[in-house]
Amino acid sequence: MDAFKMYLHRTSPKIYSENIRIENHQFHILLQQIIQCPPSNSKRVERLIQRVRENRFAADWAWLLQKAEALKSKKI
């Protein structure tokens, strides 16, 4: 995650358009939230799924939604 974040910060302004940078940045933010979300907290998982559904401009949106919904079925 840190390497991708640094890549976005250092390299992407030079080679990607503003729209692609925004999509990648939103992907990074949502993925970070998915990683940090405890599966046992059902309210937080639902809010996270809602955030992913609302943010359709994130890169690889369908994959993020799939991972967020997978948190619902996990039991710790």
Side-chain angles (χ1 to χ4, degrees), residues 39 45-46 49 53 67-75:
V45 169
E46 287 299 324
I49 290 171
R53 285 187 177 143
K67 297 304 174 190
E69 289 179 345
L71 286 174
K72 278 199 292 191
S73 63
K74 286 188 177 180
K75 302 288 184 209

Side-chain angles (χ1 to χ4, degrees), residues 17-46:
S17 69
E18 181 69 21
N19 292 341
I20 300 292
R21 283 194 323 231
I22 290 171
E23 288 176 6
N24 284 327
H25 182 68
Q26 290 174 347
F27 173 82
H28 175 263
I29 290 170
L30 290 171
L31 184 58
Q32 190 71 31
Q33 291 174 358
I34 290 171
I35 290 170
Q36 293 175 350
C37 183
S40 59
N41 190 342
S42 61
K43 284 180 127 180
R44 187 169 173 190
V45 169
E46 287 299 324

